[in-house]
Amino acid sequence: MGVGRLASAILRTITGRVGAWLVLPVVVAAAAALIVVGGSASTDDDPAGGLPADAESARVEALRDRLPSGQLNPALVVYARDGSPLTEADRQVIADQSARFAAIAEGGRVGPQVPAEDGRAVLVPIPMPAERPVQETVDQVTEVREIASAGLPAGLTAQVTGGAGFRADIASSFSGANVTLLVITVLVVAALLLVTYRSPWLWLVPLAVVGLADLTTNSLLALLSREAGLRLDPSTIGIVDVLVFGAGTNYALLLIARYREELRRHDDRREAMRRSLRSAGPAIAASAMTVALSLLTLLAAPLTTNRSLGVAGAVGITVAATFGLVLLPAALVVCGRGLFWPFVPRPGEPVRHQGVWARAGALVARRPRTITALSLVFLAILAAGVADARLGLSRTEQFRVQAESIEALETLSRHYPAGAADPTVVVARADRQAEVLAAVTGTPGVAQARPAEQGDGLVAVDVVLEAEPDSRASYDTIEALRTAVHAVPDADALVGGAVAANLDNRTAAIDGLRRVVPLVIGVVTVILVLLLRALVAPLVLVGTVVATYFAALGVGNLLFVHVLDYAALDTGVPLLSFLFLVALGVDYNIFLSTRAREEAVGQGTRRGVLTALAATGGVITSAGILLAAVFAVLGVLPLVTLTEIGIIVGVGVLLDTLLVRTLLVPAIATLCGERFWWPGRPHRPGPAEPTGLAERTGLAERTGSTSGGPARTGTAG
């Protein structure tokens, strides 16, 4: 059986009188079984867990596992009194509470108190196991906080921070956040579908299909996390939910728009669906393949979190497209035309004209050079906002919610050296301790250093930096410290700790940007070349989407710095925003360009592009607004990183939908003419079977010349 016959057989099965009724229960039952077997995915809240194994800070953590403290993740209780020294009553309460902390501390012993030089604060370390499950850590930190807050003298404060405190606060901040994200996403999608379709029940079908796709995706990810060791964190789950709902609903919008169009031409709704799948199916499949393969380029990124997100996102997009091309068509033909009530499409009805898109096409046809120039200048002005962008947020700047562990750091900074809360750690051979310690203390920017422990031939040195953690000055000190200790002969000294890990994370993020961006551009370009059988059009489409990315990044940076008062772009934001915006933004250009190529066969490129713009304008704009709204919902999650990604992608999608796809790409295509498809030549001049929308609906004679543009073109979607 040839490929064409196989495809026809599959289409007949999905849309057939009996086949559709079989497809529905089989797919739903298979999804339900997978949901039951897969269960819920376990997540990893360790913020440093994504570093590559060869990063210096990761190597330090591996070596520390050989030391006693390597098995510990302490909570730090900060007692402080602003404006006056601690009193005897304060010290007595701290001593009493420390005795109670011993019941929680690993080994039953609390670490020695560390008083501040100004006499106004005391730090009490409580050892806790590093490998304990997240919920147990949350419970223990909660118990510590209950003890520390009870019976304090007036004016004395107690706050819990440290590794355990941060871990507990991260977990607590995400508690219920993904459920809230999912609920708001569903409500946003439902509202926009209801407005788009103006039907009391049509919106329920795509929403149910996409919702089932999301549940299936989460179950597949749970299986992959258990069986293949796929590392997932709460933010990954949230991003994948947004991808599945955003992309899945876009695919549904495109298919249903084409189906409605075909229902006006055919009495048999099954034949209408088969024609819809033949026309829109390749564009949907190509779009999904573009996004999935683009996400898989994250496998080249150094950070484990990025690689896991790439795999998880590709799984989600694949499931969403599969459900959209199999389950959704079967459900639509089973429900029949009445699903569109009160606007039921009937055979022979004229295509409803979308005046706004016809007028946009006419404007493009009259002034293609002016529109191209103005659009590019506008994008360049927006992109100028990137000029003062900073990269990297400190730990205290990464959360949008109040967290006691963050507030405790601010208290510590008032009474201790800036780096005291998160000491840098130098691990070296024990027999070179004196030389390493001399190199550390001689490094500019080091406030103090002391040997912390020895074991298994290693020594760990705790180093307090003068600079604020995660500031440019602290990173400079880490780099100088590494240079100094690496120069000690035969010491095998390495520098780690939270600040060093954040520096390594920043370096890895920049490295990932350099690796992944060319791969994404290459993947998208190759797919467009194969899909459109052209070279010029793919380069134009990719170039315009990249320009949109820089414009959105510029707008986002201005908004973050001057309106939302964020300190900078987080390290992962440029890469993930580029990936999502380019991969998803190309979707709309795929929908437009495939339709334009189809129309160009009978009408030529200039008229075909304008007809395609009118035919796809409504559905693509609806899809773009929906996708932008869905990404904006990422702001529900507590991380500044996700808020920044959501805003940049949302702004970029709107720019792409309303400016680039509506004006810039059609203007460039109009200027290029038939060369737009070079070296292909889709246009076949002379008498031919009508193939384009304008010819099929009798509009070809009324579209006007290429200089005047279409007077009336339309769409059914």
Side-chain angles (χ1 to χ4, degrees):
M1 181 182 293
V3 175
R5 289 184 178 180
L6 177 61
S8 296
I10 293 173
L11 292 181
R12 285 194 299 271
T13 301
I14 294 173
T15 62
R17 192 176 301 274
V18 176
W21 283 100
L22 291 176
V23 166
L24 281 177
V26 168
V27 174
V28 172
L34 187 58
I35 291 169
V36 171
V37 172
S40 299
S42 59
T43 58
D44 182 355
D45 296 284
D46 180 7
L51 281 171
D54 60 351
E56 186 162 337
S57 55
R59 292 161 63 195
V60 167
E61 290 305 309
L63 290 174
R64 289 183 70 187
D65 287 342
R66 294 160 53 182
L67 299 169
S69 68
Q71 310 302 320
L72 301 176
N73 186 32
L76 303 177
V77 185
V78 185
Y79 294 93
R81 180 180 288 277
D82 289 333
S84 62
L86 297 176
T87 66
E88 283 302 318
D90 295 339
R91 299 183 190 281
Q92 184 59 50
V93 168
I94 294 170
D96 292 342
Q97 290 188 353
S98 296
R100 296 178 63 189
F101 293 149
I104 303 172
E106 182 73 3
R109 292 200 309 172
V110 174
Q113 296 182 11
V114 183
E117 291 185 3
D118 62 9
R120 298 177 181 177
V122 166
L123 193 62
V124 178
I126 305 173
M128 291 184 179
E131 299 301 323
R132 180 162 289 171
V134 174
Q135 190 54 50
E136 290 187 24
T137 300
V138 172
D139 294 341
Q140 282 198 319
V141 170
T142 300
E143 187 176 354
V144 169
R145 284 174 172 158
E146 289 173 352
I147 294 172
S149 62
L152 293 176
L156 181 67
T157 61
Q159 298 166 307
V160 180
T161 184
F166 278 115
R167 191 181 191 203
D169 285 345
I170 291 171
S172 298
S173 67
F174 272 98
S175 178
N178 277 329
V179 174
T180 303
L181 173 76
L182 188 58
V183 170
I184 295 177
T185 301
V186 171
L187 292 176
V188 167
V189 170
L192 291 173
L193 287 175
L194 190 58
V195 170
T196 300
Y197 292 133
R198 295 171 294 166
S199 167
W201 39 68
L202 174 57
W203 62 277
L204 291 169
V205 175
L207 184 62
V209 170
V210 175
L212 185 61
D214 185 61
L215 291 173
T216 304
T217 297
N218 283 323
S219 296
L220 280 171
L221 296 182
L223 286 174
L224 288 172
S225 67
R226 290 198 301 270
E227 305 299 330
L230 181 67
R231 182 182 179 272
L232 300 172
D233 59 36
S235 62
T236 299
I237 299 296
I239 290 173
V240 172
D241 286 339
V242 165
L243 281 174
V244 171
F245 269 92
T249 309
N250 277 357
Y251 302 150
L253 284 170
L254 183 68
L255 180 64
I256 292 174
R258 197 59 187 256
Y259 179 47
R260 192 203 302 259
E261 192 176 305
E262 296 296 338
L263 284 173
R264 290 193 170 98
R265 301 193 184 97
H266 301 281
D267 292 317
D268 185 354
R269 66 179 186 271
R270 295 175 176 82
E271 176 61 24
M273 179 56 75
R274 282 193 285 272
R275 288 180 177 269
S276 301
L277 285 170
R278 288 192 187 100
S279 178
I284 293 173
S287 169
M289 184 183 301
T290 301
V291 179
L293 291 179
S294 296
L295 284 163
L296 288 177
T297 61
L298 285 175
L299 291 172
L303 293 173
T304 304
T305 49
N306 284 347
R307 295 199 296 269
S308 297
L309 175 59
V311 173
V315 169
I317 292 295
T318 302
V319 172
T322 302
F323 276 53
L325 292 173
V326 177
L327 185 61
L328 179 61
L332 290 172
V333 297
V334 163
C335 293
R337 292 177 186 266
L339 190 63
F340 290 86
W341 185 88
F343 303 101
V344 180
R346 303 294 183 185
E349 286 183 351
V351 175
R352 291 183 295 128
H353 307 307
Q354 297 284 341
V356 62
W357 308 114
R359 289 193 293 272
L363 178 63
V364 167
R366 287 196 302 270
R367 298 283 187 270
R369 289 183 176 82
T370 302
I371 288 175
T372 299
L374 290 178
S375 298
L376 292 176
V377 168
F378 180 66
L379 292 175
I381 291 172
L382 296 182
V386 180
D388 64 343
R390 283 186 57 240
L391 188 63
L393 294 172
S394 69
R395 181 178 288 184
T396 59
E397 296 166 339
Q398 290 176 350
F399 287 88
R400 293 175 42 251
V401 295
Q402 293 294 318
E404 185 175 313
S405 56
I406 301 295
E407 294 169 353
L409 285 183
E410 297 171 357
T411 301
L412 278 169
S413 67
R414 294 195 295 269
H415 303 285
Y416 294 84
D422 249 334
T424 296
V425 179
V426 178
V427 176
R429 288 175 48 181
D431 59 355
R432 309 296 291 176
Q433 175 179 315
E435 293 89 339
V436 170
L437 191 59
V440 169
T441 55
T443 302
V446 171
Q448 52 187 253
R450 64 178 183 85
E453 60 180 335
Q454 290 191 28
D456 198 19
L458 299 173
V459 62
V461 178
D462 282 350
V463 182
V464 177
L465 307 183
E466 295 175 351
E468 186 75 21
D470 301 314
S471 62
R472 179 67 260 178
S474 71
Y475 290 157
D476 290 342
T477 303
I478 292 293
E479 290 170 345
L481 194 57
R482 284 175 169 170
T483 300
V485 301
H486 292 171
V488 178
D490 302 322
D492 299 331
L494 300 171
V495 179
V499 176
N502 287 341
L503 174 59
D504 290 342
N505 196 300
R506 182 176 182 272
T507 302
I510 295 172
D511 186 30
L513 196 64
R514 291 171 179 156
R515 293 187 197 178
V516 173
V517 165
L519 290 176
V520 173
I521 292 175
V523 165
V524 171
T525 303
V526 168
I527 291 176
L528 286 174
V529 167
L530 295 176
L531 179 68
L532 301 177
R533 288 162 286 170
L535 291 178
V536 174
L539 294 177
V540 169
L541 298 180
V542 172
T544 56
V545 173
V546 172
T548 304
Y549 162 74
F550 282 106
L553 193 64
V555 172
N557 183 61
L558 291 174
L559 181 62
F560 303 146
V561 173
H562 299 291
V563 178
L564 298 178
D565 200 27
Y566 296 161
L569 296 170
D570 203 11
T571 52
V573 168
L575 173 59
L576 296 182
S577 298
F578 179 87
L579 177 68
F580 295 143
L581 192 52
V582 171
L584 294 170
V586 165
D587 278 6
Y588 304 125
N589 284 321
I590 286 177
F591 299 157
L592 173 67
S593 58
T594 52
R595 185 61 177 260
R597 198 178 195 285
E598 177 186 339
E599 302 295 341
V601 172
Q603 303 181 62
T605 295
R606 289 185 174 90
R607 189 172 292 176
V609 166
L610 303 182
T611 301
L613 174 60
T616 62
V619 65
I620 292 180
T621 300
S622 298
I625 292 172
L626 187 144
L627 187 63
V630 168
F631 263 91
V633 176
L634 279 176
V636 170
L637 296 179
L639 292 180
V640 169
T641 303
L642 298 182
T643 301
E644 291 181 338
I645 291 173
I647 289 175
I648 291 172
V649 175
V651 169
V653 167
L654 290 177
L655 282 173
D656 190 78
T657 303
L658 301 176
L659 173 67
V660 173
R661 188 267 314 161
T662 303
L663 297 175
L664 181 56
V665 169
I668 294 174
T670 300
L671 289 173
C672 292
E674 302 307 318
R675 291 170 295 179
F676 190 65
W677 309 109
W678 185 87
R681 294 181 60 84
H683 182 45
R684 299 290 183 265
E689 179 71 20
T691 56
L693 172 65
E695 292 181 356
R696 288 196 300 262
T697 57
L699 294 174
E701 294 80 6
R702 300 198 295 269
T703 56
S705 67
T706 56
S707 63
R712 294 179 66 190
T713 51
T715 181

